[in-house]
Amino acid sequence: MSHPTNHRPAGSNVPVFDNTGKMAAIIIGVTAVVAGSVMGAANPFLSNATSSQGAQIDTLFSLFVGIATAIFIIVQGFLLFSIVRFARAPEDEEDGVPLRGNTKLEVFWTAVPALIVVILSVLSYRVLADIERPHPDQMVVEVTGRQYAWEFYYPDYDLKTAELHIPLGRQVLLKITSADVNHAFWVPQMRIKKDAVGGKITTVNITATAPGVYPIVCAELCGAGHAVMRSQVVVEAEPTFQIWVQAQLGAKQRAAAMPPDPKTLGRQLYNQYGCNACHKLADAAAVGVVGPALDGIGSRAADIVPGQSAEEYIRTAIIRPMDFITPNYPPVMPGDYAQRMSQADLEALVQYLLEQK
Amino acid sequence: MTADTVVGTGLVRHGGRKFSDYLIFNTDHKVIGIQYLVLAFVFFLFGGALAGLIRAQLATPDAQLLTGSSYNVTLTLHGTVMIFLWIIPAFVGAANYVVPLMIGANDMAFPRLNAVSFWLLVPGGLLMLVSFAVGGAESGWTAYPPLSVTTPIGQTLWALALQFIGFSSIFGAINFLVTIFNLRAPGMGLTQMPLLAWAVAATSIIILLGTPVLSGALLMLILQRWLGAQFFTPAGGGNPLLWQNLFWFYSHPAVYIMILPGFGIISEVLPIFARKPIFGYKLIAFSSMAIAVFGFLVWAHHMFTSGMDPFLRVPFMVTSMIIAVPTGVKIFSWLATIWAGKLRFTTSMMFGLAFISMFVIGGLSGIFLASVPIDIHVQDTYFVVAHLHYVLFGGSVMSIFAGLYLWFPKITGRMLDERLGRLHFWLTFMGFNLTFFPQHLAGLQGMPRRVYTYPPELWALNLLSSIGAFLMAIAVLPFLYNALRSLVAGKVAGPNPWRAFGLEWTVSSPPPVHNFPTPPVVEGDPYGYGERPLPGTTGVAAPAPGMAGGE
Amino acid sequence: MSDTTPHLTMQQSAPSATGLDSAKLGMWLFLATEVMLFSAMIAGFLDMRGRSPADAHHVLNIPVTAVNTFVLICSSLTVALSVAAIEQGDQKRLRNFLLLTLLFGGTFLSVQIYEYNVLIGSGELTPWNSLFGAGFFAVTGLHGFHVFIGLIWCVLTIIWTSQGKFSAQNFMRVEIFGLYWHFVDVVWIILFVLIYLV
Amino acid sequence: MKRVDPNKEALQPHHYPGSRTYLLVFAGLAILTLIEVGVAYITSDIRVPILIILSALKALLVILFFMHLRYDSRWYAFIFFGPLVLVIPLIWISLIR
């Protein structure tokens, strides 16, 4: 069957850029500029960061949202207008207007986007240079990422903790590294992120601008426990920060000075090996929620695994965690404690946990 | 022998008439194209099922469906399967079928190498399934060491599978480049070629130069896991960033491998259903080549927060920003193509228009990611997951569906049902936006990538996303039913159901085994709408005054 | 050698849109992928070299490898002469030069394997005990594998020659084999300097 | 050697070098290898650039003459040396510490 000749002199009945087209272009243009500037002034997606670096990133983000909104409206606007205006009448077998190109227009929509992205690059570079500028009296904290926990070391005070405390308004330089696989140190509210890579020190600046407690999240896939590798950064005024440091130092000295009675030694080992990061234990002031709470483990350990005494259960739970996983808890406990812990430490920790009645 | 008989018997044949012709080492590019498309679609369903599991786990913060390692294995294989066994093979299948027809060739330049390329995918796919069953490929599709060195045996199988898939991809690229440049019909110069041929040529250049680098990186990973060579482990002196450099040197161009053929398909769909020539042919062709070359100079924007040399981030930020320009040029040219046209909203056209609309969102979020300070906050978060799905699903997969609805009549000789097509489109479109738009916000508010749980305040966004994922899963059913039913009961399509220009529409549907019984006559580029009559139509009217075909 | 002046090759190729022969174009595209593969491995090797002790490569035996490099260059010569032979239709000389190539290529590979045994046996340099070793065995191992593939291809070409498949009008497949072999030789020329001498 | 116009290569005869050229190139390669080994033993720091230049020279000899790049279409040279441009950033990044 032969097709009806598809060809009729086109171009006669469909003007290319008529009044409705011009009107649509103006409306789209105005909407784009208005919406773009509204969004550019204050974007609804990312605001009130709690660090000075974060505040600059938020303003830059607003500018990007403004320009993106404008371009979004222009493209979607012309697309929707074309769908409505140039839809084919049911029986119309004619071809459209054979427009092959328009050099002026094509140069325009190559040059303008190129100009926009170059400007955005320059603005981004200025923000980047500013947030990564060192500060003369910045405090240094060494951060070590390890499978599924963060450790912080304060060289000024020779203090190691599982939680980051920083003074308000003072720039802190974090020197980040990893003890095993890659991790990423991320404080969402402060817009701070840097990968922790083994054998390499990576740095990032934090200048907190609002007191409070903000989560620290691991942002690089680091194994089974990646989703639960969280800690927190506590921002407090300088005096409160100093009080906290002295309290920590005092506890450390008392623990070191006193003969290591099993209880304090057990408590100290419980924190040193990161058990506190996942297992709640009131006696050791541990708040972790990833694994089961260990309050009163001593009295109930005997009847968890049939045939295993309390002591055997606790010891196997530490050195071979995968042997028994408490129901509806994720199987994410690191399995290398047998190598990481000395025999003496292991025994001291087991005895300490046995006494949790 | 007439042009329409299957040549050869036993395991090596040329031409596909019976079902068994498709299960053996067949050297007909049309059979191989269908083999690629069917294999890719099977893996699309498998990858989609994995995505369903992931979204089911993330529907609530404390679900226990998939936790820890099992979640990581699922997300790793979702990513790997969707990229290497669905999107790339689907484009290669479509291009394998259509490009020789479009340029007037009887087959690809190296038919046997073409069959080898396909049959290399079978061990690759099987090894990938075995690595899933055995478990262990837990380090994401990016497989960053040292994690990817410590994971169980499944990771080695995963790496071996990728080597097979890589070789298949490289041989395919060589085949396409020689076919496109050497086997064009007489009279078809480079500017009379369809834009899909330009896009496939640009894609093949990227595959040709990028894939070997991934192959080298995978070789090192396999040697480290097997022989203990300390390439990437800091303890042994190795450098984890070496893997990231080599991996992203291939994998960023790989995202252009996954979008350029989509650009090509859109440049074919829009003129047909707007009844208008493509606007700015030369600029679109040139921007494809610009993306192919420039795509190799931007890879480190994946490593802005990885501790790479701080100053080097600035040049990579600039190149990553500038590469948005050629893509922007294409989008504006497509808008100009449908402007003042006669738009016919077939399902293929709807997917094409949705491609433009969705890909713009993905492109714009890409500009955010190119800026280093903003990337510091959003790297490795769900903002990136939203970006990559807008360009991969909103872009590549929608263009694959646009291509499938356009060429299904040519491949099978039967039309797909438009009502079911429209149902498939609207379910996919709504499901897709419901799934992935909320993820922009989840990422900004602090949800990292690849986690099986999240803080309770992000529950609403994740629930929305999971509902959308359920909708997308349902959306595939009307397409499956439509395709299977139309194979036997669809309306007979005839050679040119869409009344389109292009040599592939001048032969029967499905085309004879050797494509062109008589050498095709090339009258100009395949976009003569409003300028010259359809080739092969009777009752030729005088061409439009003053424009005798071509520019 | 018989003649000195460049002469005409009457080889016929299928007509193509660009006038280039499809098989040769395909081969050069394949060589582009090999360029990228070895560049990636060399980039990795340089990165590792920078991170391992400076004198790590002193354990390597330079004199033997220098002779080995010469052997590979001889094999490159014999391949070139074999292509020159078949251009004039001399199938016998083609077969002899290909056999010589097989001999030189086999010698090169066995010396390399012998070197590997010495290094790994003595434990001086192994893939697992030093980063330089890992890079060294990866790059030279990959090159050795390519030489091995070349040897198999050479045997096949000899079989096709004795089946009389090649003539002055049709020797593209010998030329393609030549391109591959020369490329493997070029890679060794660069590796020899980067690994042993620098 | 007249450079062959790429578009007429298949139909026109080639001008491949004779055996004598191959022997000359072979001699060149052998001598350069000897020089390289000699240079390797001097300890001044210009040793590395010289070695790189020598190896590049040998590589060019093989590519241009043995692989007939000098006599074939310029497309082949573009296909072979083009990728090297893309390799420079990769090598540069792996050289900086």
Side-chain angles (χ1 to χ4, degrees), chain B residues 9 14 20 26 101 117 138 156 159 162 196 213 232 315 327 347 415 421 430 437 486 509 518:
Chain B
T9 56
H14 185 90
S20 68
N26 199 307
L101 286 167
S117 291
E138 286 181 30
T156 313
L162 276 187
L196 178 61
V213 176
F232 304 123
T327 311
T347 316
M415 300 292 285
M430 285 185 289
F437 200 83
S486 304
S509 303
T518 58

Side-chain angles (χ1 to χ4, degrees), chain B residues 109-110 170-171 174 177-178 181-184 208-209 212-213 215-216 219-220 223 227-231 236-239 242 246 249, chain C residues 15-23 25-26 29-30 32-33 36-37 40-41 43-44 47-48 51 127-128 131 134-135 138 142:
Chain B
F110 311 112
I170 290 174
F171 294 146
I174 294 172
L177 279 171
V178 175
F181 286 111
N182 262 7
L183 301 192
R184 281 169 287 130
L208 196 78
L209 305 182
V213 176
S215 187
L219 175 69
M220 290 188 206
L223 285 180
L227 287 180
Q230 297 295 313
F231 294 112
N239 173 13
L242 173 63
L246 292 178
F249 186 86
Chain C
S16 69
T18 56
L20 305 179
D21 175 79
S22 292
L25 177 60
L29 289 169
F30 177 69
T33 61
M36 293 306 286
L37 173 65
M41 298 302 282
D47 181 75
M48 290 169 218
R51 307 172 74 85
W128 40 87
L131 189 60
L142 187 65

Side-chain angles (χ1 to χ4, degrees), chain D residues 24-63:
Chain D
L24 277 175
V25 167
F26 170 70
L29 290 172
I31 295 161
L32 282 173
T33 314
L34 276 179
I35 299 169
E36 268 177 358
V37 175
V39 163
Y41 285 103
I42 58 171
T43 50
S44 77
D45 51 17
I46 55 146
R47 182 173 64 94
V48 173
I50 294 180
L51 282 175
I52 290 176
I53 293 164
L54 286 174
S55 70
L57 210 61
K58 283 169 61 179
L60 274 177
L61 273 179
V62 173
I63 294 168

Side-chain angles (χ1 to χ4, degrees), chain C residues 52-79:
Chain C
S52 48
D55 61 356
H57 73 293
H58 286 330
V59 75
L60 300 173
N61 178 339
I62 292 181
V64 165
T65 315
V67 168
N68 214 15
T69 308
F70 178 71
V71 162
L72 201 60
I73 289 172
C74 295
S75 74
S76 223
L77 171 70
T78 52
V79 163

Side-chain angles (χ1 to χ4, degrees), chain A residues 2 16 76 86 88 92-93 95-97 100 109 121 124 132 182 186 193 195 219-220 223-224 226 330, chain B residues 72 275-276 280 305 313 339 342-344 357 371 376-377 379-380 449-450 452 499 525 527 530-531 538:
Chain A
S2 78
V16 174
Q76 310 292 4
F86 301 114
R88 178 187 76 116
D92 182 349
E93 291 293 326
D95 289 349
V97 179
R100 280 282 176 172
W109 67 39
S121 304
S124 301
E132 292 194 344
N182 290 352
W186 179 33
K193 182 183 286 118
D195 283 14
E220 182 67 63
H226 165 61
Chain B
N72 292 347
R275 308 304 304 170
K276 228 166 121 280
T305 63
R313 294 175 302 179
W339 185 269
K342 297 283 174 77
L343 270 58
R344 229 171 121 223
S357 176
S371 155
I376 283 175
H377 176 54
Q379 162 89 344
D380 274 331
R449 255 178 106 170
R450 298 162 168 170
Y452 64 84
R499 290 179 33 252
D525 68 14
Y527 309 111
E531 287 167 351
T538 54

Side-chain angles (χ1 to χ4, degrees), chain C:
Chain C
M1 287 308 138
S2 54
D3 64 2
T4 56
T5 55
H7 49 278
L8 309 180
T9 312
M10 298 311 296
Q11 178 167 221
Q12 302 316 321
S13 300
S16 69
T18 56
L20 305 179
D21 175 79
S22 292
K24 185 182 276 191
L25 177 60
M27 191 60 203
W28 278 101
L29 289 169
F30 177 69
L31 292 184
T33 61
E34 294 283 16
V35 162
M36 293 306 286
L37 173 65
F38 280 102
S39 304
M41 298 302 282
I42 288 170
F45 177 75
L46 292 177
D47 181 75
M48 290 169 218
R49 196 185 173 127
R51 307 172 74 85
S52 48
D55 61 356
H57 73 293
H58 286 330
V59 75
L60 300 173
N61 178 339
I62 292 181
V64 165
T65 315
V67 168
N68 214 15
T69 308
F70 178 71
V71 162
L72 201 60
I73 289 172
C74 295
S75 74
S76 223
L77 171 70
T78 52
V79 163
L81 293 177
S82 72
V83 171
I86 191 60
E87 268 182 75
Q88 295 129 42
D90 186 339
Q91 293 189 3
K92 207 167 66 60
R93 253 168 75 232
L94 164 66
R95 191 169 52 80
N96 294 343
F97 277 126
L98 285 177
L99 284 169
L100 268 176
T101 310
L102 202 61
L103 178 72
F104 285 126
T107 321
F108 171 83
L109 201 55
S110 34
V111 168
Q112 275 298 90
I113 292 166
Y114 167 74
E115 277 297 306
Y116 276 9
N117 288 339
V118 163
L119 287 173
I120 295 181
S122 68
E124 271 171 14
L125 191 69
T126 61
W128 40 87
N129 74 357
S130 88
L131 189 60
F132 179 83
F136 170 78
F137 283 101
V139 175
T140 50
L142 187 65
H143 174 265
F145 174 70
H146 277 78
V147 170
F148 179 68
I149 296 291
L151 291 178
I152 294 174
W153 195 340
C154 186
V155 166
L156 285 175
T157 317
I158 293 170
I159 294 167
W160 293 331
T161 312
S162 45
Q163 290 168 350
K165 283 219 163 79
F166 302 125
S167 68
Q169 283 69 33
N170 167 21
F171 62 93
M172 181 52 77
R173 271 201 274 168
V174 180
E175 202 175 338
I176 300 269
F177 164 65
L179 286 179
Y180 174 81
W181 190 268
H182 292 310
F183 174 78
V184 170
D185 181 26
V186 165
V187 170
W188 180 256
I189 285 171
I190 293 164
L191 289 186
F192 174 56
V193 166
L194 273 185
I195 297 174
Y196 291 83
L197 303 183
V198 164

Side-chain angles (χ1 to χ4, degrees), chain B residues 182-439:
Chain B
N182 262 7
L183 301 192
R184 281 169 287 130
M188 180 176 277
L190 288 180
T191 50
Q192 282 78 42
M193 258 192 341
L195 280 170
L196 178 61
W198 273 103
V200 169
T203 311
S204 301
I205 290 170
I206 302 176
I207 293 173
L208 196 78
L209 305 182
T211 321
V213 176
L214 176 71
S215 187
L218 286 170
L219 175 69
M220 290 188 206
L221 184 67
I222 292 169
L223 285 180
Q224 167 139 11
R225 287 178 60 88
W226 176 38
L227 287 180
Q230 297 295 313
F231 294 112
F232 304 123
T233 340
N239 173 13
L241 292 189
L242 173 63
W243 165 269
Q244 293 185 24
N245 270 318
L246 292 178
F247 177 80
W248 288 115
F249 186 86
Y250 162 73
S251 291
H252 189 80
V255 305
Y256 295 118
I257 293 172
M258 290 189 275
I259 198 64
L260 275 173
F263 290 157
I265 291 176
I266 297 307
S267 297
E268 299 303 322
V269 164
L270 294 181
I272 293 176
F273 295 110
R275 308 304 304 170
K276 228 166 121 280
I278 189 80
F279 187 94
Y281 175 102
K282 287 200 169 75
L283 201 55
I284 291 181
F286 176 74
S287 64
S288 293
M289 287 301 165
I291 288 175
V293 173
F294 228 78
F296 281 98
L297 306 176
V298 296
W299 82 83
H301 60 232
H302 296 276
M303 299 163 58
F304 279 154
T305 63
S306 73
M308 65 182 279
D309 175 84
F311 178 72
L312 262 185
R313 294 175 302 179
V314 178
F316 278 104
M317 168 163 69
V318 175
T319 52
S320 303
M321 288 272 192
I322 288 174
I323 200 155
V325 173
T327 311
V329 157
K330 283 181 188 273
I331 293 203
F332 294 125
S333 299
W334 287 328
L335 288 178
T337 302
I338 60 173
W339 185 269
K342 297 283 174 77
L343 270 58
R344 229 171 121 223
F345 300 112
T346 57
T347 316
S348 176
M349 181 59 156
M350 291 166 86
F351 272 112
L353 296 172
F355 172 96
I356 301 176
S357 176
M358 290 302 110
F359 190 78
V360 161
I361 299 173
L364 290 173
S365 53
I367 305 270
F368 285 75
L369 291 163
S371 155
V372 178
I374 294 177
D375 185 67
I376 283 175
H377 176 54
V378 290
Q379 162 89 344
D380 274 331
T381 68
Y382 259 73
F383 186 84
V384 170
V385 174
H387 162 70
L388 72 91
H389 282 95
Y390 262 88
V391 289
L392 280 182
F393 194 96
S396 307
V397 175
M398 290 231 181
S399 70
I400 291 172
F401 282 132
L404 281 179
Y405 278 94
L406 177 71
W407 288 311
F408 186 90
K410 178 52 65 179
I411 293 174
T412 63
R414 302 245 176 201
M415 300 292 285
L416 279 169
D417 175 71
E418 281 300 311
R419 278 193 332 282
L420 283 171
R422 204 156 285 130
L423 176 65
H424 171 224
F425 168 75
W426 283 112
L427 280 177
T428 307
F429 186 77
M430 285 185 289
F432 165 75
N433 279 295
L434 187 60
T435 307
F436 294 116
F437 200 83
Q439 289 181 356

